[in-house]
C-alpha cells in the first residue's frame, strides 16, 4: 500500500538579517493510509516547522523550503502552484494548531467560521453548510449545538475551543489530519478527552493522523508508529510498542527515562538528558546528539549517521552504535 504522505530530504531554513536558522535538516518519513503517526521530541527539534512546511504555511521571507519533496497521494505538493494547493489545504489535508484562541477569529461566530470552510471547499449552499456545521459540532461533542453555534470563541472553555478547531479541520473529510500539540494548553483531564476524541474520530472516519507532541506519555495509547525528531531530522522511528520497550537510539532512551513511573519512589529525581539541544544556526557534519550522548565515540564527531535498519525489522535508528542501546535499562 502506497503511503498517503512521503517526505524526502526536506530542508527548511529561516534566513534572517544576521543569521540563518536551520530548522529542518534532511527530514524523511512516511505516513500510511489510516495510520496514527506520532512525532515526538523536545521543543526546537523541528516538529512544527516540518509540518507547517507540508501545509506550505512557512512565511517567506524569512522562511524558505530549500530542498526535498513532499508527495501527497503521489503528487509533489511543493511543485504545485499556490492556487492549486489551496484546494488541497483544508480539504484533503487539515491541521489543528496549538492554541485555538489565536487560531479562531475572535470577532466571528464559531458557526460562521465552520460554514466558511465548507462553502469554500465543498461549494454548498448557506443552508446546507449550516446543517453540516451543526453535524460536525455534535460529532466533536459540543453540547446544545443549536445555541452554541452562534457564540463567539471567548464564550467557550479551552477544551471546547479545541473541539471547535477539530470540527473545522474535519469539515471536508480530510484524508490527512495534522494535530500540532493540540492539548498543550489544556489541563490533564481535558487533554485525555481531546486525545481520545481524535482517536475515536480517526477510527470512524478512516483518516490518517500525524500527532505532534513533546510528551511521550501521551503517545503510548494513541499511536500506531512513532518518529522521534532531534535537530530537525528523524533519529528513530518504529512501531509504538518497539519504541517504548526496545528503543534503539540514545536520545529516545533519554526521553523515556525522563518519564514519571509508578514503580519508582515519588521522591526520586527523574534523570534528565544532559546539555541543551543544538544551536540551529549551524548544522555540522556530525551526529547532532553526540555532545549529549553517553555512548559518544570518535566516529560520532566525524560524520553524521543516517537513519538505517536495526535488529528490529520495523525500527530504524540514526545511530552508529545502536547495538549498545540493547543492553541499556530504562
Amino acid at each position: 500500500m502506497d503511503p498517503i504522505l512521503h517526505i524526502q530530504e526536506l530542508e527548511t531554513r529561516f534566513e534572517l538579517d544576521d543569521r540563518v536558522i536551520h530548522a529542518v535538516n534532511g527530514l524523511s518519513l512516511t505516513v500510511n493510509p489510516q495510520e496514527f503517526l506520532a512525532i515526538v521530541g523536545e521543543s526546537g527539534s523541528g516538529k512544527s516547522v516540518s509540518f507547517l512546511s507540508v501545509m506550505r504555511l512557512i512565511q517567506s521571507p524569512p522562511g524558505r523550503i530549500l530542498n526535498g519533496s513532499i508527495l501527497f497521494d503521489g503528487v509533489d505538493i511543493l511543485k504545485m502552484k499556490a492556487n492549486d494547493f489551496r484546494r488541497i489545504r483544508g480539504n484533503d489535508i487539515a491541521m489543528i494548531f496549538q492554541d485555538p484562541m489565536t487560531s479562531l477569529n475572535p470577532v466571528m461566530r464559531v458557526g460562521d467560521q465552520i460554514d466558511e470552510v465548507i462553502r469554500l471547499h465543498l461549494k454548498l449552499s448557506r443552508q446546507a453548510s449550516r446543517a453540516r456545521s451543526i453535524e460536525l459540532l455534535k460529532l466533536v461533542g459540543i453540547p446544545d449545538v443549536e445555541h452554541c453555534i452562534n457564540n463567539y470563541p471567548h464564550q467557550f472553555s479551552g477544551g471546547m475551543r479545541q473541539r471547535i478547531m477539530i470540527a473545522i479541520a474535519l469539515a471536508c473529510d480530510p484524508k490527512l489530519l495534522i494535530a500540532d500539540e493540540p492539548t498543550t494548553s489544556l489541563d490533564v483531564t481535558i487533554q485525555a478527552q481531546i486525545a481520545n476524541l481524535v482517536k475515536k474520530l480517526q477510527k470512524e472516519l478512516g483518516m490518517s493522523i500525524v500527532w505532534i507532541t513533546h510528551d511521550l506519555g501521551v503517545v503510548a495509547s494513541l499511536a500506531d508508529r512513532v518518529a522521534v525528531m532531534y535537530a530537525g531530522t528523524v533519529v528513530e522511528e518504529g512501531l509504538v510498542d518497539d519504541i517504548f520497550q526496545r528503543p534503539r537510539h540514545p536520545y529516545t532512551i533519554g526521553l523515556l527515562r525522563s518519564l514519571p513511573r509508578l514503580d519508582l519512589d515519588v521522591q526520586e529525581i527523574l534523570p534528565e538528558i544532559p546539555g541543551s539541544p543544538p544551536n540551529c544556526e549551524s548544522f555540522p557534519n556530525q551526529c547532532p546528539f553526540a555532545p549529549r550522548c553517553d555512548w559518544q565515540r570518535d566516529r560520532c564527531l566525524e560524520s553524521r549517521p543516517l537513519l538505517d535498519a536495526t535488529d528490529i525489522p520495523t525500527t530504524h535508528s540514526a545511530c552508529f552504535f545502536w547495538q549498545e542501546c540493547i543492553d541499556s535499562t530504562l
Side-chain angles (χ1 to χ4, degrees):
M1 185 180 297
D2 294 332
I4 191 170
L5 181 71
H6 185 193
I7 304 173
Q8 189 70 28
E9 293 297 324
L10 179 67
E11 294 184 31
T12 302
R13 296 181 185 175
F14 294 90
E15 299 173 348
L16 308 178
D17 292 338
D18 57 341
R19 63 193 189 278
V20 176
I21 304 298
H22 300 254
V24 183
N25 301 290
L27 174 70
S28 296
L29 61 81
T30 60
V31 183
N32 298 312
Q34 301 182 29
E35 180 180 47
F36 199 121
L37 174 68
I39 308 292
V40 300
E42 294 169 293
S43 296
S45 60
K47 306 184 301 297
S48 295
V49 175
S50 297
F51 285 90
L52 287 173
S53 300
V54 171
M55 297 295 289
R56 290 178 58 171
L57 293 176
I58 299 295
Q59 183 177 348
S60 178
R64 186 159 70 99
I65 298 175
L66 191 70
N67 190 29
S69 62
I70 303 174
L71 301 181
F72 177 73
D73 266 355
V75 178
D76 191 346
I77 59 180
L78 294 182
K79 295 181 179 178
M80 297 178 69
K81 295 180 179 179
N83 286 337
D84 292 335
F85 185 68
R86 286 193 190 101
R87 290 194 286 268
I88 293 177
R89 184 175 55 221
N91 188 9
D92 293 323
I93 309 175
M95 191 167 187
I96 306 169
F97 297 95
Q98 290 187 29
D99 186 357
M101 196 59 198
T102 58
S103 301
L104 293 168
N105 189 328
V107 297
M108 282 182 68
R109 302 177 193 273
V110 297
D112 293 336
Q113 296 189 54
I114 305 174
D115 290 351
E116 184 178 54
V117 175
I118 295 170
R119 291 201 302 271
L120 175 65
H121 289 290
L122 302 183
K123 310 300 182 185
L124 298 182
S125 67
R126 184 175 298 272
Q127 183 177 4
S129 65
R130 179 47 56 101
R132 173 66 173 160
S133 297
I134 291 173
E135 176 188 346
L136 287 164
L137 290 175
K138 289 180 177 178
L139 181 67
V140 299
I142 300 293
D144 192 15
V145 171
E146 284 75 10
H147 170 72
C148 290
I149 198 169
N150 293 312
N151 288 348
Y152 292 91
H154 72 271
Q155 294 176 275
F156 294 87
S157 67
M160 289 295 109
R161 285 195 293 267
Q162 197 59 282
R163 289 172 185 264
I164 292 165
M165 284 298 300
I166 294 171
I168 293 173
L170 297 178
C172 301
D173 292 330
K175 298 177 181 178
L176 174 64
L177 177 65
I178 301 168
D180 185 9
E181 303 208 37
T183 62
T184 298
S185 59
L186 306 176
D187 64 59
V188 176
T189 303
I190 305 302
Q191 284 184 21
Q193 291 178 4
I194 296 298
N196 291 334
L197 172 63
V198 172
K199 184 68 173 179
K200 173 176 174 286
L201 292 173
Q202 185 223 4
K203 291 181 178 179
E204 291 179 357
L205 303 177
M207 58 187 167
S208 301
I209 291 182
V210 174
W211 184 280
I212 301 169
T213 182
H214 62 272
D215 186 358
L216 264 173
V218 175
V219 167
S221 61
L222 289 178
D224 303 312
R225 196 160 54 89
V226 178
V228 181
M229 285 192 66
Y230 188 80
T233 190
V234 173
V235 295
E236 183 171 9
E237 65 175 357
L239 299 178
V240 64
D241 289 343
D242 291 331
I243 294 295
F244 273 80
Q245 297 172 18
R246 299 184 292 172
R248 293 294 184 260
H249 195 281
Y251 179 57
T252 310
I253 292 174
L255 292 177
L256 291 170
R257 282 177 174 169
S258 66
L259 290 176
R261 290 170 51 173
L262 295 176
D263 59 340
L264 297 179
D265 189 329
V266 293
Q267 296 183 344
E268 185 173 338
I269 298 176
L270 290 171
E272 61 182 22
I273 302 174
S276 302
N279 184 350
C280 293
E281 294 182 22
S282 62
F283 195 77
N285 187 30
Q286 67 172 47
C287 174
F289 189 64
R292 308 173 70 186
C293 182
D294 293 335
W295 293 286
Q296 181 199 123
R297 303 288 187 272
D298 289 343
R299 186 182 179 189
C300 305
L301 303 176
E302 296 169 354
S303 59
R304 177 182 167 188
L306 301 178
L307 201 65
D308 204 354
T310 67
D311 60 323
I312 305 171
T314 56
T315 299
H316 294 77
S317 174
C319 178
F320 292 126
F321 304 103
W322 58 262
Q323 293 92 339
E324 299 189 21
C325 299
I326 296 174
D327 299 325
S328 299
T329 57
L330 297 181

